[in-house]
Amino acid sequence: VEKGFVEGVPKIKHPTQVRDGCLVAKQVKQPFQKEAMWRASKPLELIHADLCGPITPQTLAGNRYFMLMVDDFSRYMWVHMLKSKDEAFATFKKFKAQVENESPYKVKVLRIDRGGEFTSQAFSEFCNKEGIKRQLTAPYSPQQNGVVERRNRTVLEAKRSFLKSMSVPERLWGEAVRHAVYVLNRMPTKGVKNMTPYEGWKGKKPTLHHVKVFGCLAHMKKPSNQLTKLSDRSIQVVYLGVEPGSKAYRLFNPKENKIMVGRDVIFEEKVKWSWAEAQNGEQGEQPGYFRSFFNSSTYGEEVYQNPADDENPSFQSPVDTPSATPTSTSTGNQTNSTPLTFDFSNTSLEHNEGISPSMFDNIPVRG
């Protein structure tokens, strides 16, 4: 009307009052700020916290959640594994005592969502007693705590990459999360200029020479008190990161299904552990039973049938006697069986110098 695009409409002044009909039909969410208007100037001045989970399957220790805390000043992260949400309060008290003991600062402000684990009466009373101010996000507005929400996504993405790239079972997701936080604390981020979160919190530059590929094959030396003259000197394990509070590696033994800590370790960072073989179950050796590599429909399934004769010095290998027939001698109540053998005269064998032709292997078949 003002610009003369239409005719027949009087010039009127539009009212500024809120119209219910317009809001019901067209109301949208208000935009969020891309950057915070205020940043902490000292460590622990503002802590972002959030709980992530439940995650399935549960870890070896039965954990289904992890609680992530982020320092607003340095962007340094701490992660704790939880079995249930009700452990969040005890975890925060443990975290507060730890960080205040490591630094001359105290936790002043805690920014969290309105989850029941953070709004309980015990949690509120503890914060009031310690003088910690709580900043609660608006309902269904995780963007107001975007620092920890975005770090949660980054940690989960790194966790999935660790597990998938080395085919590590999902039940070890807790170790992948812990290692992801360890690595991300030592990498640059946009929230901190010209230093890593580790340097912002610790005041010194980190070293990364000890970090290996998560899930790679490792060889850990056995302790001397577990060795005999003929025993193996090392065992094959899987690298899971660095053991907190120790100058040692955190390792997983798939055969025994347990976490181990070791210092003398040699890594093969490009080699994966054969998890499929471990899941199917690797059968141990069965002394006294020698399986044939022939087709069972032609030659039979077992060549040597009596395990008691394994220590019998009269045992004669079928390879040394290519033409023989099974015999049995009886002495009293004891029966000595000789091995079944076959005629290999028509079988094409490869002759190598110094090696007699053999259709058998001295190692039993596994699986």
Side-chain angles (χ1 to χ4, degrees):
V1 175
E2 293 179 354
K3 296 183 179 181
F5 294 161
V6 295
E7 297 179 352
V9 179
K11 292 183 179 180
I12 60 176
K13 185 177 181 179
H14 293 276
T16 57
Q17 69 268 21
V18 177
R19 304 295 297 178
D20 293 342
C22 294
L23 295 179
V24 171
K26 300 183 295 184
Q27 185 176 5
V28 296
K29 295 184 68 174
Q30 298 294 327
F32 292 93
Q33 298 176 355
K34 294 184 179 180
E35 294 184 4
M37 299 296 295
W38 178 84
R39 280 287 303 272
S41 58
K42 297 178 181 179
L44 302 184
E45 194 170 2
L46 172 60
I47 297 295
H48 305 264
D50 190 31
L51 200 66
C52 184
I55 302 177
T56 54
Q58 63 184 12
T59 63
L60 298 177
N63 298 314
R64 301 180 60 194
Y65 301 83
F66 69 86
M67 186 175 177
L68 190 68
M69 276 78 68
V70 184
D71 177 40
D72 187 75
F73 172 75
S74 63
R75 293 296 199 265
Y76 192 85
M77 296 185 292
W78 296 266
V79 65
H80 296 269
M81 300 296 162
L82 309 178
K83 292 182 173 63
S84 59
K85 287 186 176 183
D86 56 4
E87 297 180 0
F89 176 46
T91 301
F92 177 73
K93 292 197 298 184
K94 177 182 176 181
F95 160 77
K96 178 182 179 297
Q98 174 189 346
V99 295
E100 291 183 353
N101 189 42
E102 292 179 1
S103 68
Y105 306 100
K106 290 185 176 295
V107 179
K108 296 182 178 180
V109 182
L110 178 65
R111 185 173 296 176
I112 49 181
D113 57 24
R114 293 182 178 269
E117 64 275 9
F118 297 124
T119 58
S120 63
Q121 183 177 358
F123 204 110
S124 302
E125 292 177 353
F126 175 79
C127 292
N128 294 334
K129 179 181 178 181
E130 297 295 329
I132 300 175
K133 182 180 179 180
R134 294 191 303 166
Q135 294 181 352
L136 302 177
T137 62
Y140 307 103
S141 300
Q143 294 87 346
Q144 291 184 340
N145 200 12
V147 173
V148 69
E149 294 289 349
R150 187 61 183 86
R151 294 304 261 179
N152 260 342
R153 175 181 171 183
T154 303
V155 170
L156 290 176
E157 289 173 345
K159 180 263 295 183
R160 285 191 292 268
S161 298
F162 289 162
L163 297 180
K164 300 301 180 181
S165 60
M166 298 302 286
S167 303
V168 179
E170 292 183 354
R171 69 179 185 273
L172 294 176
W173 65 262
E175 301 295 334
V177 167
R178 190 192 60 81
H179 187 64
V181 171
Y182 182 88
V183 174
L184 290 172
N185 281 335
R186 289 154 178 80
M187 295 178 61
T189 177
K190 292 182 180 180
V192 183
K193 305 297 182 182
N194 302 324
M195 63 179 178
T196 61
Y198 181 92
E199 184 177 357
W201 170 251
K202 301 283 187 179
K204 58 182 179 181
K205 297 184 181 298
T207 58
L208 296 174
H209 64 86
H210 58 282
V211 179
K212 309 298 179 182
V213 176
F214 182 88
C216 70
L217 181 65
H219 303 267
M220 185 185 74
K221 186 183 182 304
K222 283 185 176 181
S224 57
N225 59 350
Q226 299 179 6
L227 297 177
T228 61
K229 296 296 184 182
L230 300 179
S231 63
D232 297 338
R233 263 37 186 177
S234 67
I235 57 177
Q236 291 185 346
V237 291
V238 178
Y239 170 78
L240 297 181
V242 180
E243 176 68 12
S246 303
K247 290 185 177 181
Y249 297 103
R250 190 173 178 87
L251 310 164
F252 178 68
N253 188 339
K255 294 183 179 180
E256 299 182 5
N257 197 33
K258 67 178 182 179
I259 302 293
M260 308 178 69
V261 178
R263 171 185 172 273
D264 302 315
V265 186
I266 297 178
F267 299 93
E268 295 185 72
E269 296 189 71
K270 296 183 179 180
V271 181
K272 303 178 183 179
W273 176 270
S274 180
W275 294 100
E277 180 179 351
Q279 291 177 356
N280 294 334
E282 182 176 344
Q283 296 182 1
E285 296 184 1
Q286 302 177 3
Y289 289 91
F290 292 81
R291 299 288 181 177
S292 170
F293 286 91
F294 301 134
N295 187 338
S296 60
S297 62
T298 304
Y299 298 100
E301 296 181 355
E302 293 189 3
V303 176
Y304 184 42
Q305 298 180 340
N306 189 358
D309 291 340
D310 191 35
E311 299 179 356
N312 190 346
S314 63
F315 169 73
Q316 190 175 12
S317 173
V319 177
D320 299 331
T321 58
S323 299
T325 56
T327 59
S328 176
T329 58
S330 178
T331 304
N333 295 330
Q334 296 181 354
T335 302
N336 295 329
S337 301
T338 58
L340 298 175
T341 56
F342 309 95
D343 186 5
F344 304 141
S345 58
N346 297 328
T347 305
S348 176
L349 301 176
E350 181 180 356
H351 293 262
N352 296 326
E353 183 177 358
I355 301 177
S356 60
S358 174
M359 295 297 293
F360 298 89
D361 191 352
N362 62 345
I363 300 178
V365 180
R366 297 184 180 184

